[in-house]
Amino acid sequence: MEKGNNETYFLMCERNWIYYTLISIAGFMGAYTYLLRGNVFCNAQTGNVVLMGMALGAGKWGEGFYYLIPISAYVLGAFVSELFPNPIKHTLPIRWDTLLIAIEMLVVAGLGFVPESAPVQISQVAINFIASMQYNTFRQAEGIPVATTFATNHIRQIGVGLAKELKHLHTGNKSHRKKLSIHFLMLVFFVLGAVTGTICCNLFIGKAIWVLLIPFGIVFGALLYADLKTERDMVEKKPAGH
């Protein structure tokens, strides 16, 4: 959508700072699940697929098929987040993006009550589910395709951006720099989230996840204000990438 004649207007749910906040939350969750909930990373599923294949290859059928649970939770998250946006915006005065942040806050609040002695699968599956919905919902930061739940693509894009920097060293073409800087900052905020998560887990153990209610609350407040005030007439506009 356009603002004025030349300046592109990005919805609040597409703003860079929203994405930096969300990926820092993902870094925090990665530290949380690895340190306290079974030494796994729940923001993506590559590891679970590999572990399932390894277990099946070793003849450990029960262990192998267990991984279908977190994988299915991830599939369900993508399924729900693909179906819900249109019904939500036609039923409620807010976008699906805003409602999703509220759902994530409720899940985070609930996980803080889960004792350290509880089965780790409770936290793992819950985070699998919300991470998948977030990954499928928040797709582009001000026109740049990014991921808010894991860092692999950002690392790859940094390499691509540095190669373009070298290729255009003498051409004066700097068009790649915006994309490079966004991917670099996404990676930086992911690491900062992991650092913060590690510190908080050491201090507060399972209750550490409640710290995420602060950044989630800031994002939710900004999105809700946009839905009800500044972008009230733009509810039919889809964020880029959808």
Side-chain angles (χ1 to χ4, degrees), residues 1-196:
M1 73 197 64
E2 301 294 325
K3 183 178 182 181
N5 295 320
N6 300 311
E7 183 182 354
T8 301
Y9 179 83
F10 295 104
L11 295 167
M12 181 59 68
C13 60
E14 300 176 277
R15 305 288 174 83
N16 286 340
W17 76 267
I18 295 286
Y19 280 74
Y20 298 150
T21 304
L22 291 178
I23 200 167
S24 67
I25 289 172
F28 188 111
M29 283 187 175
Y32 171 81
T33 57
Y34 188 84
L35 293 173
L36 303 177
R37 304 301 183 190
N39 301 115
V40 297
F41 301 111
C42 294
N43 295 333
Q45 291 304 297
T46 303
N48 280 332
V49 174
V50 172
L51 290 171
M52 181 174 70
M54 290 172 62
L56 294 176
K60 299 177 182 178
W61 303 105
E63 180 180 333
F65 287 122
Y66 156 74
Y67 289 103
L68 290 175
I69 298 175
I71 292 170
S72 296
Y74 211 85
V75 170
L76 181 60
F79 178 82
V80 169
S81 62
E82 194 66 25
L83 287 183
F84 274 31
N86 281 333
I88 291 299
K89 71 181 180 183
H90 294 309
T91 305
L92 301 176
I94 62 174
R95 291 178 174 275
W96 160 250
D97 313 65
T98 309
L99 179 60
L100 172 58
I101 298 300
I103 293 171
E104 292 193 77
M105 291 176 70
L106 289 174
V107 172
V108 164
L111 289 178
F113 289 106
V114 176
E116 284 70 39
S117 59
V120 295
Q121 290 83 0
I122 296 174
S123 299
Q124 289 177 4
V125 170
I127 292 176
N128 287 149
F129 181 62
I130 62 174
S132 177
M133 290 195 292
Q134 181 177 302
Y135 175 44
N136 194 48
T137 299
F138 293 90
R139 301 182 183 181
Q140 290 194 16
E142 299 190 10
I144 306 297
V146 296
T148 61
T149 57
F150 53 87
T152 304
N153 186 55
H154 301 302
I155 295 172
R156 180 181 73 88
Q157 292 291 349
I158 289 170
V160 171
L162 291 175
K164 289 182 178 179
E165 185 72 21
L166 183 61
K167 287 167 62 177
H168 297 296
L169 191 61
H170 301 295
T171 67
N173 183 354
K174 307 301 180 185
S175 60
H176 60 280
R177 285 189 173 178
K178 177 184 177 182
K179 186 175 181 179
L180 173 60
S181 65
I182 287 178
H183 284 292
F184 177 75
L185 287 172
M186 290 290 283
L187 180 61
V188 168
F189 278 99
F190 186 85
V191 173
L192 290 176
V195 171
T196 304

Side-chain angles (χ1 to χ4, degrees), residues 207-221:
K207 301 293 188 294
I209 199 167
W210 283 342
V211 172
L212 294 181
L213 293 174
I214 298 172
F216 266 136
I218 294 171
V219 171
F220 177 73

